[in-house]
Amino acid sequence: MQHSKYRILGLVGQGQFGRVFCASLREAPPQDSRLTSQLVALKELSHQKAPTSEFLRELWFLITLQHPNIVTCRALEHTATGRYLVMDYCEGGTLRNLLKQDRPLRLLEGLQLVMEVLAGLDYAHRRGVVHCDIKPENILLTLGAKGWSPRLSDFGIARRLPEIGTTRLHQELSPDATVGSPAYMAPERFYGLFSPMSDIYAVGILLFELLMGYRPFGGTPGDLRWAHLNQRLQFPDAIPEPLQAIVKKSLEKLPARRFASASQMAQALRLIMYDPAVRQLGDCIIPWENPTTSGDKSLKSETESLLEVEEEKASLSAINLLRSVRYSLSQPKPLILPAPLTALIATETYLYAAVGTEVKVWSQPGKQLVTEEMSISISLMPEIVRGILPVSNGCCVLTPQKLYWLNERSWEPQCLLDMGLRQGPDALKAAVDSYGNWLTVAVPGELRFYSLAANSTAGDQKKALKLIATVPLPEHYLPELKFLDRRHVLAVWPDNEPKNPQTIFRVYTRRGTSVGSVRLSASVGQMLLTPEPYTLLGIPQGGKAAVLLMKLWPLKVARIPLESLPVSACVANWGWVLADVGGQIEVLNSQGIQVGSFSSPASPRAIAPWGNRGVVIAVNTQEESHLHFLDVDVEESNSPSIVKG
Ligand SMILES: Nc1ncnc2c1ncn2[C@@H]1O[C@H](COP(=O)(O)OP(=O)(O)OP(=O)(O)O)[C@@H](O)[C@H]1O
């Protein structure tokens, strides 16, 4: 977008009136590397599709409504190419996207989400605004410390009440009186009548859908009209009695019989969260039944975004319609190493294990037995090894104060960087690109960007380090570093204020120029790169057990609830393997769908991919470490089943 103060980062959706982009303010990079400019959504409103009156209407609603559960409109942007609403960016996409996930939410998380939707609605109703189009497509999600927080969007067909605070029905004035989404429309709306209770009815349908995975009424718009007006609700037994009562009351045919306000419905939900029947199911993942033919799968959103369609195409063509996992031991006994392990890293060529001051290297993959003697190298370091950074022809080895280079020809350590004794332990974080040509290092006070050329005098087994740039860092923060591709390196800082934990992601070029940054309202611990470009798998800290799949450019986040919090994880090219503290291992395919789980002998210290379809699980005892080699057989089938080897 020329001459705009916003820089477009990517297309995130397509609405009736135009495209929606993720963008950030065009500005000089801040001095403090922890400062980020907030992301915005630019909603294009093309002149042809959205007449000025429509445009001003939505703008009026969005500008008058300022609430944490309503998407905030910040400004209007006119450029030579078009006009845009500048809105808060919601990195979780729509609630519809979330509901398409295999395991979207736990029961209590779902109820909390609906209560927040009601809080946004209550605020709008108190200001005399009825949304008239509540549905999962119009609820956007932002990530908070505890999970998803919803924001109402799309006030395109919202109505203003002539008298604020009334629950009377009002007659639509416009000729297009019954616009809306028939699957969520209250009976009175089919007669051109509306009130805040019409929104409550739509929330009732949404709550039903959230719990069951399908809507209570389906069919053509004509069928839906008949069903909303006449059909009785069928309640599946899976819904606990007190919850059924709330859904029933919100879906009463007569508006006067529904909850008198959104806050009353929220209060009813708040109370049943303490009900033993509901609490008992609180951690169960909803929906409880997959959509069946009895459910309404027919009604697709009229404004289904291009992006979702693209995503669906991608997922259908992917090999990952995998639904079950089976494992067997690829060698009967574990490999026992004489000290606890500190790092386990696999590439396509090698498996590296750091044990005390030693780095052991084996060739990948091993159909044959793996023994300590078969390691192709054992390199002895002067200090305890903290991390291994693999590159195509060797690896860099990180100790608390130094960085070494090991070339695959000799595996002889060459010290590249020495922080000296004064800096204290763990004075270094580092990332190296996959070809071993560029290095970024975080040391107290600065980020350093180096080139790592082959040393012409010593041959290509040795590296010559050349400092290209430095960037100042606040004294006490050492970010985690990762090369995203050959040119870009990611620095990640936690910002763990007790009430508002956040994580900052800043991307630099390999030469130290800041490219941009994003801030996530969640604390993310361990992070792994996935084969998808600019996409990370992160383990959030705090809140319920889950993993985050984070695409950085434009920022998109998916959150996958898990049975238990993972403490170690690895990304293979066929999926992800996550282990909890008790040694329970979950296997997810690369779309984040759980394909199975099994128990490992003990809590793994580290996991790494092994060969085509295997994993190595490292378990530490007090004096030694055990490496278990497993073949994981992820099968294509429609019914999930877990078979232990
Ligand atoms: N603020 C936002 N943050 C993140 N993504 C957004 C935001 N607003 C919209 N989107 C994405 O863009 C898509 C289209 O949104 P938009 O509101 O234009 O479409 P719509 O639901 O068809 O509404 P309308 O009827 O106004 O066209 C959404 O489905 C969502 O994926």
Side-chain angles (χ1 to χ4, degrees), residues 314 318 320 484 528-537 549-552 571-572 576 590-591:
N320 286 302
L484 292 170
L528 299 163
L529 286 175
T530 73
E532 287 289 309
Y534 300 103
T535 305
L536 299 159
L537 184 73
L549 189 60
M550 302 173 285
K551 187 172 178 213
L552 290 177
V571 173
W576 319 327
S590 40
Q591 253 106 57

Side-chain angles (χ1 to χ4, degrees), residues 234-540:
Q234 292 291 320
F235 270 102
D237 293 340
I239 301 186
E241 197 64 45
L243 250 178
Q244 284 193 21
I246 292 181
V247 181
K248 255 184 214 156
K249 191 164 164 75
S250 57
L251 291 180
E252 284 284 356
K253 308 285 182 204
L254 291 175
R257 293 205 177 161
R258 292 178 211 146
F259 290 99
S261 66
S263 66
Q264 268 198 18
M265 183 171 174
Q267 177 62 7
L269 282 173
R270 195 167 298 118
L271 287 178
I272 60 138
M273 282 171 123
Y274 298 100
D275 183 284
V278 175
R279 282 202 84 83
Q280 207 185 6
L281 294 171
D283 272 342
C284 293
I285 306 277
I286 49 173
W288 283 310
E289 281 175 13
N290 283 325
T292 60
T293 42
S294 67
D296 173 22
K297 289 178 74 188
S298 59
L299 190 113
K300 280 241 162 191
S301 153
E302 308 83 8
T303 55
E304 188 112 38
S305 71
L306 273 185
L307 202 85
E308 287 174 9
V309 175
E310 284 305 314
E311 275 169 7
E312 251 169 35
K313 273 194 218 151
S315 69
L316 284 178
S317 63
I319 53 156
N320 286 302
L321 296 167
L322 306 169
R323 304 287 301 180
S324 74
V325 62
R326 182 193 289 269
Y327 82 84
S328 54
L329 293 173
S330 71
Q331 60 182 62
K333 286 194 181 148
L335 169 63
I336 297 176
L337 300 175
L341 175 132
T342 50
L344 184 74
I345 300 288
T347 65
E348 280 180 13
T349 338
Y350 299 117
L351 176 72
Y352 299 93
V355 184
T357 55
E358 283 180 8
V359 174
K360 294 174 189 292
V361 189
W362 293 269
S363 293
Q364 275 257 41
K367 262 289 153 216
Q368 73 279 31
L369 282 188
V370 183
T371 62
E372 200 177 354
E373 298 74 54
M374 284 172 62
S375 68
I376 54 172
S377 144
I378 299 177
S379 304
L380 210 56
M381 301 290 155
E383 305 102 37
I384 292 270
V385 178
R386 285 277 198 262
I388 295 171
L389 312 170
V391 305
S392 54
N393 58 345
C395 67
C396 288
V397 177
L398 206 60
T399 70
Q401 306 249 342
K402 293 182 187 159
L403 186 76
Y404 295 88
W405 162 240
L406 292 182
N407 183 286
E408 64 182 350
R409 294 224 195 130
S410 68
W411 302 108
E412 265 306 306
Q414 175 201 352
C415 183
L416 291 176
L417 208 65
D418 183 353
M419 288 307 296
L421 281 176
R422 279 179 304 143
Q423 300 285 1
D426 291 319
L428 261 184
K429 297 259 172 90
V432 63
D433 81 304
S434 59
Y435 290 88
N437 294 334
W438 299 87
L439 174 73
T440 304
V441 174
V443 296
E446 62 188 18
L447 271 182
R448 297 184 191 166
F449 296 83
Y450 296 95
S451 72
L452 262 182
N455 188 331
S456 49
T457 48
D460 69 352
Q461 290 189 40
K462 299 259 181 223
K463 290 278 187 191
L465 202 63
K466 185 174 162 212
L467 184 66
I468 307 278
T470 59
V471 171
L473 284 183
E475 195 63 35
H476 41 294
Y477 289 104
L478 277 197
E480 293 296 329
L481 298 171
K482 283 192 193 303
F483 262 84
L484 292 170
D485 57 21
R486 288 190 63 195
R487 292 177 182 278
H488 297 100
V489 61
L490 172 71
V492 184
W493 285 269
D495 195 353
N496 286 339
E497 272 183 53
K499 280 208 172 139
N500 189 17
Q502 304 206 336
T503 311
I504 298 152
F505 299 80
R506 180 171 285 280
V507 177
Y508 296 89
T509 66
R510 62 193 184 188
R511 293 179 177 275
T513 309
S514 169
V515 175
S517 58
V518 294
R519 184 181 278 266
L520 209 64
S521 294
S523 162
V524 185
Q526 198 183 350
M527 250 166 302
L528 299 163
L529 286 175
T530 73
E532 287 289 309
Y534 300 103
T535 305
L536 299 159
L537 184 73
I539 301 178

